[in-house]
Amino acid sequence: DAKTTQPTSMDCAEGRAANLPCNHSTISGNEYVYWYRQIHSQGPQYIIHGLKNNETNEMASLIITEDRKSSTLILPHATLRDTAVYYCIVRAYSGAGSYQLTFGKGTKLSVIP
Amino acid sequence: DTAVSQTPKYLVTQMGNDKSIKCEQNLGHDTMYWYKQDSKKFLKIMFSYNNKELIINETVPNRFSPKSPDKAHLNLHINSLELGDSAVYFCASSQAEISGAFFGQGTRLTVV
């Protein structure tokens, strides 16, 4: 699976949009971009994933550049509860029925009151 | 109604003991996983089971033995516990390979 690069930490004012970047310049055509987050002392939580098109769900939006070499996770109105470590993961579909997620160091997002 | 539940949440035990961590998912997923998060907060996969069959077995000491009695359960048994086994262990499940994985709340294992 392709390697990802994320900033170590970011701050965001409460109520503002949080834009978390991820670089995956070596991504191949069959690899998906996934975002998870881990709030302190909890298990990782799936947020969103995408292949080529931008995606939106009730939690966030995922913007993938046209060349797919980078993406941005957008939390439209950050709250204090969004303070967490956010992981950008790239992985391919293997057809084996299961997959492994390779977690990096992620981005520590702090939402400031 | 918890989707992926693990028990116990905390486990403190002495070196050399044998212990088990249980995991159950009520999502009807076909695939279950065990991940380990060490003191540096890195999450690494240990095992993956699909329909009760072992699919992924990363480089894990054979003191660790997963057991899947049915699709909804994946238990982790650890023999002869060592200090280095201290970590948080997360169980997870997923349905289709493309979908997201759901994680449990973790079991914090402390070996003294």
Side-chain angles (χ1 to χ4, degrees):
Chain A
D1 294 333
K3 186 177 177 181
T4 62
T5 304
Q6 299 177 251
T8 303
S9 63
M10 291 181 64
D11 289 343
C12 177
E14 190 178 15
R16 295 294 187 104
N19 297 288
L20 293 96
C22 179
N23 185 292
H24 30 79
S25 56
T26 60
I27 193 170
S28 58
N30 65 344
E31 290 185 309
Y32 287 75
V33 180
Y34 286 78
W35 283 84
Y36 284 77
R37 72 180 182 183
Q38 188 172 22
I39 297 170
H40 182 62
S41 297
Q42 295 185 22
Q45 179 187 21
Y46 164 77
I47 301 174
I48 199 167
H49 74 275
L51 182 62
K52 295 180 185 178
N53 300 322
N54 298 336
E55 302 287 344
T56 296
N57 62 21
E58 64 278 4
M59 288 183 69
S61 294
L62 173 60
I63 308 298
I64 303 174
T65 58
E66 194 169 340
D67 63 7
R68 303 208 323 123
K69 292 185 177 182
S70 66
S71 60
T72 301
L73 179 74
I74 301 172
L75 308 178
H77 304 287
T79 70
L80 298 179
R81 294 180 185 176
D82 292 322
T83 293
V85 178
Y86 287 76
Y87 298 98
C88 170
I89 301 168
V90 170
R91 56 163 290 269
Y93 172 72
S94 71
S98 73
Y99 57 85
Q100 81 181 56
L101 294 166
T102 303
F103 288 84
K105 296 183 179 180
T107 296
K108 174 79 169 83
L109 175 69
S110 298
V111 180
I112 312 298
Chain B
D1 192 18
T2 305
V4 181
S5 59
Q6 301 177 222
T7 54
K9 189 173 181 179
Y10 300 97
L11 184 55
V12 181
T13 187
Q14 290 186 327
M15 283 176 53
N17 284 349
D18 303 338
K19 290 293 179 184
S20 292
I21 306 172
K22 295 184 178 181
C23 178
E24 176 182 5
Q25 55 96 2
N26 62 6
L27 298 167
H29 289 170
D30 289 332
T31 307
M32 296 185 71
Y33 313 79
W34 277 107
Y35 280 79
K36 176 181 179 181
Q37 188 166 38
D38 60 23
S39 57
K40 294 184 178 179
K41 301 298 184 183
F42 284 111
L43 268 161
K44 292 183 180 178
I45 192 166
M46 301 174 69
F47 302 101
S48 166
Y49 269 71
N50 181 264
N51 281 317
K52 301 195 300 175
E53 289 189 23
L54 181 65
I55 301 297
I56 295 173
N57 183 355
E58 288 297 298
T59 307
V60 176
N62 57 16
R63 298 182 294 104
F64 290 79
S65 54
K67 286 185 171 50
S68 182
D70 54 58
K71 274 179 26 174
H73 297 84
L74 181 61
N75 303 323
L76 184 65
H77 188 77
I78 315 169
N79 290 328
S80 303
L81 278 155
E82 301 177 356
L83 293 176
D85 297 332
S86 295
V88 182
Y89 293 83
F90 289 99
C91 177
S93 73
S94 67
Q95 179 54 20
E97 189 170 330
I98 301 300
S99 68
F102 289 79
F103 284 77
Q105 290 303 295
T107 296
R108 181 174 294 277
L109 171 66
T110 304
V111 182
V112 298

